[in-house]
Amino acid sequence: MATVNELADLRAGIDECDAQLVALLAKRNSITEKIGAIKQQIGAPLHAPDREADLLAARRQEAVNQGVNPELVEDILRRMMREAYQNQQGNLACSAPQLSPIVIVGGKGAMGQLFAQQFIRSGYEVRILDKEQQAESEAILAGAKLVLVSVPINALEQVVAALPKLDDDCLLVDITSVKQKPLKALMAAHNGPVVGLHPMFGPDISHWVKQTVVVCEGRNHEVAQGLLAQLQVWGCQVVEMEVKKHDEAMQIIQVMRHLTTFVYGQFLAKQSHTLAELRSCSSPIYQLELMMVGRLFAQSPELYSDIMLAQFDDVEDLLANYQATFADTLEKLKTGNKAALIEGFADAKEYFSDATAHFLTQSRSLLNKANDAKVLD
């Protein structure tokens, strides 16, 4: 029969293993910092997808060979990789020195600061042009090779139109979530190269690795290649997309998603149950849903209002279709039409068919983490 002393001895063994793990993590961090320094010197991208895939596959097989859950090993490795990417952010390679100096218009804003910091880490000269510097705009923009406009959607046309004349070889860039109207405004205000970027992330990211940036061609796209190369050095996934197609995709990905979340958050606020009561009896998947709803309301109301308003006129047909789908589903529920509900489920399932297995695996990992967080609360 096991004794209290035996339990204490086993726990001491666990403590020893944990101490060894911490020491190994410290050693690994030291190595990854050195790797980051070498990547900076040779101009290599922070993210090496093939190397990452090979590493994960090899460690998973080793885990199987030693009777350890490979999912556990992959979770640990991915967390360590994320830490490594954060540790490698101090000094980054400069892949397009011809784009310096860079001016960030709206550089005091959250996204402006994020881009400014990253360019500075890569060794570019960065100047800030915000409201306080308007009187000095000509001096600040003099000789600029890249001007990145980081202002709210509803202010972009006015801000760009008010810019002093830029040099013909200056690359003018915007980072709004809508592209057709902003690119027209940029090309109307500047005769030189123009490109539209849409960073699919907010200012609270810990690093740029694996972050998606959508690129929409404006004018003289070859000039933008240095900027795109720099994004890839930072580890970004660069996705080039035709302007109209981008805006149509954003109507679904952003406007409809934000609208649904916005309405659901308001609905919850009107219910008799407190958030704490809902969280106390929610499943991990509902915990995740609450997190995503709460995330929206933790951010700028002006930003999300602007995103929804910017394309509202273009999404009326989508909204009508969405309302019709909701009403149709509601009618099926009212009439108890189970067969029709199953048919609707099957139609949607067919749309997701190629990705269902992948989504199931990914969501299982997220749900486990959400459940862990709930236990820690």
Side-chain angles (χ1 to χ4, degrees):
M1 184 175 178
T3 66
V4 173
N5 288 338
E6 287 175 319
L7 180 60
D9 288 343
L10 291 172
R11 284 176 171 168
I14 288 176
D15 291 344
E16 183 180 349
C17 287
D18 290 347
Q20 291 174 6
L21 279 172
V22 172
L24 283 172
L25 287 173
K27 181 179 179 181
R28 193 181 195 280
N29 280 348
S30 176
I31 294 171
T32 58
E33 285 177 3
K34 293 174 183 176
I35 290 173
I38 293 173
K39 286 179 177 178
Q40 190 268 336
Q41 292 170 16
I42 65 175
L46 284 186
H47 184 220
D50 293 342
R51 157 69 179 166
E52 180 178 303
D54 291 345
L55 185 152
L56 289 172
R59 299 298 92 78
R60 285 180 67 95
Q61 186 56 55
E62 289 172 9
V64 171
N65 294 344
Q66 298 194 45
V68 178
N69 185 345
E71 299 296 329
L72 170 63
V73 170
E74 181 168 340
D75 278 351
I76 294 171
L77 284 171
R78 288 195 180 279
R79 180 63 186 88
M80 289 193 298
M81 288 175 184
R82 188 162 76 248
E83 187 73 18
Y85 294 138
Q86 289 177 232
N87 291 341
Q88 293 173 1
Q89 292 293 305
N91 294 296
L92 301 167
C94 176
S95 65
Q98 72 274 14
L99 294 179
S100 191
I102 294 170
V103 175
I104 310 289
V105 180
K108 295 291 183 68
M111 285 299 288
Q113 290 183 56
L114 182 72
F115 270 88
Q117 181 184 53
Q118 201 72 351
F119 280 123
I120 291 169
R121 285 169 170 169
S122 291
Y124 293 91
E125 177 190 345
V126 176
R127 306 169 187 170
I128 301 300
L129 175 56
D130 219 300
K131 294 176 182 178
E132 297 87 348
Q133 293 84 31
Q134 284 303 310
E136 308 164 60
S137 60
E138 288 195 19
I140 293 172
L141 289 164
K145 299 304 179 185
L146 188 157
V147 173
L148 187 144
V149 183
S150 176
V151 298
I153 299 171
N154 61 357
L156 183 130
E157 291 186 36
Q158 181 181 354
V159 168
V160 170
L163 290 175
K165 187 179 185 305
L166 305 175
D167 293 346
D168 287 342
D169 62 348
C170 177
L171 176 63
L172 183 59
V173 186
D174 85 293
I175 57 170
T176 57
S177 59
V178 178
K179 292 272 79 85
Q180 291 183 86
K181 291 180 181 178
L183 278 175
K184 285 181 181 177
L186 265 61
M187 288 191 284
H190 179 49
N191 295 324
V194 169
V195 69
L197 301 183
H198 182 188
M200 301 302 296
F201 51 87
D204 60 342
I205 58 169
S206 56
H207 60 74
W208 292 60
V209 175
K210 301 184 185 180
Q211 301 292 346
T212 298
V213 179
V214 181
V215 181
C216 293
E217 184 174 341
R219 183 192 296 127
N220 299 348
H221 198 53
E222 68 281 359
V223 180
Q225 295 310 305
L227 174 59
L228 305 191
Q230 185 63 68
L231 291 170
Q232 290 170 324
V233 163
W234 293 340
C236 294
Q237 178 189 15
V238 173
V239 178
E240 300 216 30
M241 187 174 288
E242 191 271 327
V243 178
K244 188 172 184 291
K245 200 168 201 56
H246 167 273
D247 284 2
E248 289 173 346
M250 288 308 110
Q251 289 168 10
I252 297 172
I253 295 170
Q254 283 199 324
V255 181
M256 293 298 296
R257 182 65 257 166
H258 292 328
L259 178 63
T260 303
T261 304
F262 183 58
V263 171
Y264 189 59
Q266 292 177 89
F267 166 78
L268 287 179
K270 295 175 181 177
Q271 304 311 302
S272 59
H273 295 288
T274 66
L275 181 59
E277 287 171 338
L278 291 177
R279 293 186 67 192
S280 70
C281 59
S282 64
S283 64
I285 197 164
Y286 191 62
Q287 285 281 331
L288 278 177
E289 185 170 350
L290 284 175
M291 287 178 199
M292 297 315 296
V293 175
R295 177 179 172 81
L296 185 144
F297 291 100
Q299 299 181 67
S300 165
E302 289 81 7
L303 171 64
Y304 284 95
S305 297
D306 286 344
I307 288 173
M308 291 187 287
L309 287 169
Q311 293 203 73
F312 178 74
D313 292 340
D314 300 323
V315 299
E316 288 192 71
D317 289 344
L318 279 176
L319 286 171
N321 187 275
Y322 187 84
Q323 286 180 304
T325 305
F326 193 96
D328 181 56
T329 304
L330 187 59
E331 184 61 28
K332 292 171 184 176
L333 289 169
K334 285 181 178 178
T335 58
N337 193 342
K338 184 177 179 180
L341 289 169
I342 291 173
E343 183 181 351
F345 189 96
D347 290 342
K349 184 176 181 179
E350 184 177 353
Y351 176 81
F352 285 98
S353 60
D354 292 340
T356 48
H358 179 63
F359 286 167
L360 191 62
T361 300
Q362 283 192 319
S363 62
R364 186 181 296 119
S365 176
L366 290 172
L367 291 174
N368 286 335
K369 290 174 183 177
N371 194 51
D372 290 344
K374 183 180 178 183
V375 171
L376 290 173
D377 284 345

